[in-house]
Amino acid sequence: MHEGEIETDVAFVRRLLASKFPQWAGPPVEPVRSSGTGNALYRLGGELVVPPPAREDLRERLGVDDATWARGRGRALSIGVTALPYYRARNPAGAAVGGHPIREVLSEATA
């Protein structure tokens, strides 16, 4: 692990799925073997892969001000708002990914 990285394991990924994507909390979760030192991945069922967040301190490490952070979140929100309706009927996994930034931005706005 690198300094500042979040330690992940199967239990962490299960908690993450249960809280953020409950519709994906049922299938088995297995770590994907890797010789790399970053980007931990976990297989979800037979077809999906979960890339858990790597850093708690991303904003601090980037050194961005409030306005820059807000613009970045706005960009993520615009991608989610565009992707969600397109993928909803075509690709449920894509819809879940598109819905994630929407939920994150809304949860920050109501906190």
Side-chain angles (χ1 to χ4, degrees), residues 77-88 91 94-95 97-99 102:
L77 181 60
S78 72
I79 292 169
V81 168
T82 303
L84 186 60
Y86 177 81
Y87 286 115
R88 181 170 282 154
N91 181 339
V97 170
I102 297 169

Side-chain angles (χ1 to χ4, degrees), residues 42-96:
Y42 294 84
R43 184 159 306 285
L44 176 61
E47 299 179 9
L48 301 175
V49 174
V50 178
R55 298 189 176 275
E56 290 181 345
D57 60 349
L58 177 62
R59 182 177 178 179
E60 182 180 320
R61 285 181 167 268
L62 291 174
V64 298
D65 59 19
D66 290 343
T68 302
W69 189 254
R71 283 192 303 276
R73 291 187 67 78
R75 176 70 176 137
L77 181 60
S78 72
I79 292 169
V81 168
T82 303
L84 186 60
Y86 177 81
Y87 286 115
R88 181 170 282 154
R90 293 170 181 88
N91 181 339

Side-chain angles (χ1 to χ4, degrees), residues 20-21 23 77 95-97 99-108:
K20 301 289 185 181
F21 304 102
Q23 71 274 24
L77 181 60
V97 170
H100 179 71
I102 297 169
R103 286 187 296 278
E104 287 296 309
V105 169
L106 291 176
S107 71
E108 184 177 283

